[in-house]
Amino acid sequence: IDLIEEQIEANDPLQAGLAELVGSAVLQQPWIIFVEDPNMESYPQINFVVQLGELEKKAEEKMQEYLKDPETEITDITVAGHKFKSSVDEEGMTVEFGIYENHLLVASGSGQLEEMVNRFKAAEPKWVAEVTAELPVERRVGLMLVDVKLLVESNSEPVEEGSLQAAMKLEEVEKIVGVMGFDGDESVSRVSLHTPKELTGLLKMFDVEPLRKEDHKGVPEGAHLYNS
């Protein structure tokens, strides 16, 4: 959130305010962040959905503060019969936002908000069911998907020899999925790396053998800080 705020603060104080609003809400409420346009050379089209719960009134008040900025041009738009706001920054990026069914929606790009609203009536994406079946957790509190193949293909910049990206061999990966949550009282984090090839480069760390009892020899009983 800090990175996003830094990127947009110089261009549009309204968008910086929205980033601040999203950043404060995600610390307390369920949220989703997703990117539909993988073109990283242009303005990052990052979209947010935050379930507000009891924060809805506070979010509305905050939003009204941002709308008072005299330098910000705001347009009223209607999507699926509901009122939303739209703004275009100096770079020509359209940001559409508003509250819908107790959710704060912030969409980058014209028309993105309508697609987000339509998804409220749609079935859960198939990949969500596939990931939760592959990586079961008793109480899931986090879900992740990174389409690595698409991101690599959309990056037109040549990979420099000797760089971290070259060492990672990301072109050998299709996607990375993960879940976080709890099994009973235990915190659980499970990540699955999908690749059609044998891992090479730094990615070989995913194939290392697990730690053994012998690997902890020499550690003092009264150690105050330990990592392995």
Side-chain angles (χ1 to χ4, degrees):
I1 301 300
D2 290 340
L3 175 60
I4 298 167
E5 188 173 342
E6 290 174 7
Q7 289 176 324
I8 65 181
E9 191 167 21
N11 296 327
D12 194 319
L14 169 66
Q15 294 181 31
L18 289 173
E20 179 185 4
L21 179 58
V22 170
S24 60
V26 299
L27 297 176
Q28 306 173 56
Q29 296 295 127
W31 54 274
I32 299 171
I33 178 173
F34 63 94
V35 177
E36 285 196 295
D37 184 357
N39 184 5
M40 296 305 174
E41 295 179 2
S42 63
Y43 195 101
Q45 295 195 13
I46 304 172
N47 304 288
F48 298 94
V49 180
V50 183
Q51 183 178 319
L52 293 172
E54 297 179 356
L55 298 177
E56 181 171 348
K57 184 178 180 180
K58 182 179 179 181
E60 289 178 343
E61 293 173 350
K62 271 286 187 183
M63 205 176 301
Q64 291 303 317
E65 290 182 20
Y66 305 143
L67 295 176
K68 292 178 181 178
D69 190 300
E71 299 182 3
T72 303
E73 294 186 9
I74 303 294
T75 303
D76 292 322
I77 60 175
T78 301
V79 176
H82 292 263
K83 299 291 185 180
F84 293 93
K85 303 292 183 180
S86 177
S87 174
V88 181
D89 67 13
E90 295 177 355
E91 303 295 326
M93 168 58 68
T94 298
V95 175
E96 300 172 340
F97 59 94
I99 295 176
Y100 177 77
E101 294 189 0
N102 194 237
H103 289 73
L104 172 64
L105 309 183
V106 180
S108 301
S110 180
Q112 289 289 328
L113 188 65
E114 183 174 4
E115 295 183 13
M116 292 169 68
V117 170
N118 291 336
R119 292 193 194 102
F120 273 74
K121 305 172 185 177
E124 185 178 70
K126 292 182 179 179
W127 67 264
V128 173
E130 292 171 353
V131 172
T132 53
E134 177 187 0
L135 304 172
V137 175
E138 185 178 318
R139 289 183 291 144
R140 188 175 72 249
V141 298
L143 182 66
M144 173 190 70
L145 166 70
V146 181
D147 190 335
V148 180
K149 183 178 180 181
L150 183 61
L151 292 176
V152 170
E153 291 176 349
S154 64
N155 181 19
S156 60
E157 293 292 327
V159 178
E160 296 183 10
E161 186 175 351
S163 66
L164 176 61
Q165 184 176 348
M168 287 291 291
K169 298 287 186 181
L170 292 178
E171 66 275 8
E172 300 178 1
V173 180
E174 292 182 346
K175 62 182 178 182
I176 300 173
V177 298
V179 297
M180 292 143 282
F182 295 89
D183 280 344
D185 295 330
E186 296 182 354
S187 175
V188 177
S189 176
R190 294 193 172 101
V191 177
S192 177
L193 188 148
H194 292 233
T195 174
K197 303 178 181 179
E198 182 178 347
L199 297 178
T200 61
L202 291 180
L203 293 178
K204 285 185 67 68
M205 69 178 70
F206 287 94
D207 278 339
V208 298
E209 293 293 327
L211 289 170
R212 305 162 299 172
K213 290 183 179 180
E214 294 77 13
D215 297 321
H216 303 287
K217 287 183 176 180
V219 179
E221 184 68 31
H224 296 288
L225 179 63
Y226 174 67
N227 190 21
S228 62

